[in-house]
Amino acid sequence: MATSPGKTETPLAGRRAQAARNDEVILEAARGVFLDDPKAPIAAVAERAGVGISALYRRYAGKEDLLRQLCHDGLRRYIAEAETALAVSDDWAAFAGFLARVVDADVHSLTVHLAGTFAPTEEMGRDAMRANELATALFERARASGRLRPDVVVQDLGLLLEACAAVRVPDSERTGQLRRRQLAVLLAGLSAAPDTDPLPGPPPAAGEFDWRWRRRE
């Protein structure tokens, strides 16, 4: 009896689904491994993911490709959250909600850890520019609302997000709670208030932290 067209597609669909599951497991394992030790070998990722090293290499040619994917996924999530926030009508709620969702998504944990360990692609460069444009738009809306202190600059947001990402305890739920608390403290510091002392020192400049992304040998 001839096999129907629908049945011939089933094994392929099953293999594709399994490959997608493997990829998700590999990326989650890689995130945990490289947060603990950015210099860890790629074999440590396969071990934590519970997959053979050959399965990992079928998806990623090497450690650098894996690191690049992790960071690019975080950048895309940042863009998606910013685009969502721009649709919110309340300017301050859009700004604060964006920061909260980025903190909850743990987008910035790998930034300092992995910067300079791989060569960014042109697509990542374009996405980074897009991310900056969106964050600037949200920042300017928050400033226009009158609730943002006048001596804050958009580059302060990166430092704020890194400060929240640095909060980490063994319990993931508690980590999330403490990060939200830290964000609330920092947002209070960004808020305009009468008789507030000016922020010390020159503000961070555009491109001041780009050096971190230069490839280190």
Side-chain angles (χ1 to χ4, degrees):
M1 182 176 65
T3 304
S4 69
K7 289 184 178 179
T8 59
E9 291 294 326
T10 301
L12 292 176
R15 286 197 292 271
R16 285 196 295 267
Q18 183 60 47
R21 286 192 293 271
N22 284 346
D23 195 40
E24 184 177 345
V25 169
I26 287 168
L27 288 173
E28 185 61 30
R31 184 178 183 86
V33 166
F34 295 133
L35 275 176
D36 292 340
D37 179 11
K39 296 182 179 180
I42 197 169
V45 176
E47 182 178 358
R48 181 175 294 200
V51 301
I53 192 70
S54 59
L56 194 154
Y57 276 121
R58 278 197 297 271
R59 181 64 182 87
Y60 300 99
K63 180 177 176 179
E64 183 171 340
D65 287 340
L66 188 51
L67 296 176
R68 187 183 296 111
Q69 184 68 49
L70 284 172
C71 282
H72 203 172
D73 284 351
L75 182 57
R76 292 188 181 109
R77 179 65 181 271
Y78 184 96
I79 290 171
E81 296 298 354
E83 289 174 339
T84 297
L86 284 170
V88 176
S89 58
D90 184 295
D91 294 332
W92 183 259
F95 176 70
F98 161 69
L99 293 176
R101 288 191 300 275
V102 170
V103 167
D104 288 346
D106 202 14
V107 168
H108 280 69
S109 283
L110 289 171
T111 301
V112 176
H113 286 74
L114 300 186
T117 61
F118 62 88
T121 62
E122 290 185 5
E123 183 183 6
M124 289 183 74
R126 290 191 295 271
D127 283 346
M129 291 179 63
R130 175 63 175 159
N132 184 64
E133 290 169 358
L134 294 169
T136 300
L138 286 165
F139 178 85
E140 294 301 335
R141 282 180 53 182
R143 187 188 295 285
S145 75
R147 295 188 59 182
L148 191 66
R149 58 182 298 157
D151 52 354
V152 173
V153 297
V154 69
Q155 288 79 19
D156 284 310
L157 299 186
L159 297 176
L160 177 151
L161 291 168
E162 286 186 21
C164 291
V167 177
R168 184 177 297 276
V169 295
D171 182 89
S172 59
E173 183 176 356
R174 183 59 178 150
T175 292
Q177 293 171 346
L178 291 171
R179 285 178 176 173
R180 275 298 190 107
R181 180 181 176 87
Q182 177 73 357
L183 177 60
V185 170
L186 294 171
L187 278 174
L190 293 183
S191 301
D195 303 322
T196 299
D197 292 335
L199 293 171
E208 186 169 355
F209 301 100
D210 289 355
W211 62 270
R212 295 189 302 192
W213 293 98
R214 298 184 192 124
R215 178 65 186 272
R216 297 191 298 268
E217 298 301 334

